[in-house]
Amino acid sequence: MKPWIKRTLIGLFGASILVGGLTACGHRPHALDANLSAEQVAQYRAKVLDQVSSKLDLNADQKQRLGVLADKLHEQRTALIGQTKNPRAEVAALVAGNKFDRARAQALVTEKTTMLQTKSPEVIAALADFYDSLNPAQQQKVRDFMEHRGRWFHRGQDTGKSPVKQ
């Protein structure tokens, strides 16, 4: 295998672990939460998909592919969180005693890494299918979004200006 391909795959895997870990343990008031009902999750999903669809001017096939990507990401997030209703408590338990619970920490990392390895190919395939279905102008909008640190929907406003000083 060529070195640049190896580095790319390792980088993607590392980014998947980082994003998955932050998604599983992070909390934002408007983010999907383990305490939301199925109806609330569906409403939130529909809202986000509508916003992305309108920003990118997606056609029906592209919307369907975006829906598949959203489903795969949700499946991976759900799998990462696992059966616990409070992932923070699981992490807090590692430092609850006088000594850091190294064995439990390693087991937790192994469990989450295995889950990422299992689900990541599906997420990557769904992301690739969605991105490859975009026309060049839509792909450029995605690149611009990423360059500007995801500011499309910041507080419901799109000023069209980069939040990053250039």
Side-chain angles (χ1 to χ4, degrees):
M1 186 180 274
K2 294 183 179 182
W4 67 271
I5 293 175
K6 262 186 178 176
R7 283 189 298 242
T8 302
L9 290 175
I10 290 170
L12 281 172
F13 179 70
S16 295
I17 289 174
L18 178 65
V19 169
L22 292 174
T23 301
C25 295
H27 177 72
R28 292 174 54 184
H30 60 278
L32 290 179
D33 189 81
N35 298 324
L36 292 181
S37 70
E39 182 180 311
Q40 290 171 318
V41 170
Q43 288 174 349
Y44 183 79
R45 178 187 183 275
K47 178 182 173 185
V48 170
L49 292 180
D50 286 344
Q51 287 178 332
V52 172
S53 295
S54 69
K55 281 287 180 188
L56 293 176
D57 300 319
L58 300 180
N59 63 32
D61 178 57
Q62 292 168 330
K63 287 180 185 179
Q64 187 268 334
R65 291 173 191 260
L66 180 60
V68 170
L69 174 59
D71 291 343
K72 294 297 179 185
L73 287 169
H74 183 70
E75 285 175 20
Q76 186 175 43
R77 181 182 187 278
T78 303
L80 276 171
I81 291 173
Q83 300 301 317
T84 183
K85 287 288 185 184
N86 187 357
R88 288 175 188 244
E90 192 172 7
V91 174
L94 299 174
V95 294
N98 293 338
K99 300 252 183 196
F100 184 80
D101 189 350
R102 294 172 193 231
R104 178 62 193 134
Q106 186 59 52
L108 189 61
V109 169
T110 301
E111 174 188 337
K112 302 304 180 186
T113 304
T114 302
M115 191 57 58
L116 278 172
Q117 286 177 330
T118 303
K119 295 285 186 184
S120 289
E122 296 173 19
V123 173
I124 291 169
L127 178 57
D129 287 346
F130 171 68
Y131 186 78
D132 292 346
S133 75
L134 300 176
N135 65 41
Q138 291 168 322
Q139 290 177 348
Q140 185 59 49
K141 286 182 182 180
V142 171
R143 288 189 290 273
D144 290 345
F145 170 77
M146 292 173 66
E147 180 181 324
H148 299 299
R149 297 185 181 152
R151 293 295 194 142
W152 272 353
F153 309 115
H154 183 66
R155 296 190 180 168
Q157 298 175 2
D158 180 18
T159 61
K161 295 181 182 176
S162 170
V164 179
K165 292 183 181 179
Q166 297 179 353

